[in-house]
Amino acid sequence: MGKDGRMVEVQVKKEIIEKVREYFLSRGFQEASIDELNLKVRPDLAFTRNGDLVFVEVLEIGALSDRSLFMKALMNTSALRDYCNLLYIAAPKLLAVIIDSSTLSEYGVGLLTVGDKVLEAQPATYRPIKSVKPQQVSIEIPEIEELKKIPLIEERIRELERVIVELRSTISNLQGKIYSLSSRVESLEKLGIQVKTKIPKPEVKPEVTAPVEVSSEGLPSFLKDNPWVSILSKRGEERVAA
Amino acid sequence: MSEVYKRKYTFGEDYGTSTYKFGPITLGEKPKMIENRGYFPDKSSIMYELMGGKREVVIGEEIPLFLEAREDLATRMVYPMKNGIIEIDDKKAWTVVREITLYGLRKFRSSEPDFEGFYVCASLSSVAPRYMYERLFEIHRKIDEEEGFVKAITIIPQPLAVAIAHKVPTCVVIESGHGNTQVCPISRYPIRRAIVALNRGGSDANAITSQILYDAGYGDLAKEEAVVRHVKEELGLVPRNLDVAIKRAKAEPERFKAIFKLPGTRLVVDLGEESWTRFLIGEYVFNPNHEIFQSYFKRGLPKPKDVKIGDVLFRGMLDFGEAIIEAVEKCPVELQPHLFRRVLLSGGNFEWKAPNEYSDVAVDSATKIKLLLKEKGIENVDVIVAGDPQYSVWRGCIVYGYAVPDKYEWTWERMEGWLKFR
C-alpha cells in the first residue's frame, strides 16, 4: 500500500477509536490513561467502571487482505489478557466476514463491529486481573514463537468442532429413539400392558403437532368418488398388465 | 394396517423443480410448500457463527438471513431438482433433498400414542433414474432410524400422481415445468417405456420474452428474471395460428397494443410497434419450429437442444402435438384410441391467458394442443388443463398412499409397492 493508502488507514483507525470511545462513555465507563498503566504492550483504548478495567485493541483495515495480520494482532492482544477484566477487539464491519469468532471465543476476547454504529458481536469473558504489577509486565516469549503456535491452536479448535458435531448428532439420534420408545410404551400402557420401566419423555417438543383428527367431512374432495381408490386398493392382487 | 391409521398418517411429498410440497392427509386440500433449494453458507463468515454455526446447508425461511454477496449465489444456492434429475455424485443436491425431507417430516411428527410413523408416498419426475429412487429410499431410511417418522415409503412418477388427483385412469399427462416437459401415457399404470421428455419449459418462454424486451428497447429490464416472468404472464399470448395472428396484429396495432405496468413500481413496458411479438411467446412453448424463430436463434436466443441426462434423451424442438403422438404410438394399438381421448395438461407452463377480445386469434393451452393434434390428423380429443396445478402431484400422492394396501411390497420390477424399514 502506498503513502495515500496508509493515510486512509490512519484516518479510518481514528474514526473507529472515536466511535468506540463514544460507545463506552455512553455506557457509563470512564476513559483510563494508558500511559499511567505502564504496560509494555499498550491497548488502543482503556476504560474503567466500578473498579473493572476494559482494554480495546483496534484491528486495522489492512487485515482484510491478510488474515495472518489479524492473528498477529490477536496474539499481541493476548499479552494484555492478564492485566484487564474485559478485553475487546474492535474491527471495521467490512472485516467481520473474515474473523473466526470461535478463535476469539477460545481466548475470551470480545468483538466489536464498527460501522455506522458500534455493535457487540461477541461479548468478552470476564477475568480477574492477576496480581502481577503492571510495572513487571514483560513479554517473555517472542512474538514469533507465539505465531508458530497458531496452526496447532487452529487444529485443536477444528478437532473440538468435530467432536461437538458428533455429539450433537448422537444427542439428536438419542432424542429421536427416546421419543419413539416413549410413544410406544404409552400406547402399550393404554392397552393395559404393564411396563415396568418407565421411559421419560424427552423435553424437546415437536415443532408443530399436526391436527390428526379426521374431519367430520371425512376425506378430502380429491379422494371422494375417485376411481383410482378402487384400482389402487387392488394392487398386489392383480397381474401387472403394463 | 387399518384404513383408520392411513386416514391419519398418509404423507405426500412432491419434489417439484421449484417447490417441495409436503404434508399429511389431514391437511385436506392443500399441502405445505417450501422452496426446493438450499444455501451453503460461507463457514468463515461471522454470520454463520452468530446464527448458531455448524450447519452445512440452510433451507426454507432462514435462507435470506444467510445470503451474502450476489456473486456467491450461483455457487452457494442449490436447486436440486432444477431439471428433474440429480446426478448420482451431486453431494450438495442430495444434502438439500435430505434436509428438506427431514424438515417436512419433522413439521408434522405426531405425539399421538398410536403414531408409528407415516406412510410416505413421494413423487419424482417420470424420467428420474433408478439411483434416484434408491437415494430417496436411503434418505428416508436414515431419517426413520434417527427419528422414527417413516413406517413405509413408496415413490411414484409425477404424471401418475396428476392422473390420480384428477380421477382419470386412462389418459396422456403432459407435465410442463420450469425446465422441461414430460409426456407420459397412463393406463392404470404409468407406461414408462412410452414416456417422451422435452428439453423445453417455462424458462424457454422467459428466454424469448427477454429477447423481445431487448428488441423493444428495454435492455436493462431484459436481464431481470422477475420482470421478464411478469411480462411473459401479462403480455404473452398463444396464437391460434401464428401467421394469421402476426398479420392481424400488424394490421391493427392499436387493438393488440401490449402495455404493462409493473406492480409496485413506476415502470411501464410498452412493446409499441413490436406488440405483435407477444404471440411469439406462447407459440414458442408449444412449437418452436416456425421459421420466424430462426432470426432469434441467430441473434443469440439459445435454441432448445436435444440433451441426454442419465439414460433419458430430452428432445429440444419437438412440438407438443408431435410429442403426444410419439408417446401414444409407443403403446399397444388397441390402447391408443383410449389414450388420445383424454389429455391432461399439468404445470405452470400451461397457465396462459386467452382474453375474449382476442378470441379470433388467441387461444388457451387446451385449444392449442387440440389444434396441434388436429394438424396431424388426431381429432375429438378431450384436453383438460389441471386445476390447482401446483397441488396436483401432492394430492395424487395422498390418494396413492391411502389406497395401496399395506401388504403390497415394493418390487424393482414393477417400481411399485411399499418399502418398509422395520
Side-chain angles (χ1 to χ4, degrees), chain A residues 48-73:
Chain A
T48 58
R49 187 175 70 180
N50 302 330
D52 291 337
L53 186 59
V54 180
F55 286 172
V56 181
E57 184 76 14
V58 173
L59 186 61
E60 292 187 55
I61 195 79
L64 184 63
S65 55
D66 187 352
R67 190 169 170 163
S68 68
L69 260 181
F70 164 72
M71 291 306 295
K72 193 176 174 183

Side-chain angles (χ1 to χ4, degrees), chain B residues 165-220:
Chain B
H166 291 277
K167 308 180 180 180
V168 190
T170 305
C171 62
V172 176
V173 175
I174 312 183
E175 167 76 23
S176 190
H178 184 69
N180 63 46
T181 302
Q182 313 153 46
V183 182
C184 181
I186 308 273
S187 179
R188 297 159 73 92
Y189 290 87
I191 304 172
R192 292 176 190 270
R193 64 177 180 278
I195 292 170
V196 172
L198 303 180
N199 181 26
R200 221 166 61 243
S203 60
D204 294 273
N206 292 355
I208 193 163
T209 306
S210 172
Q211 185 65 47
I212 287 167
L213 280 173
Y214 186 82
D215 292 346
Y218 296 100
D220 48 344

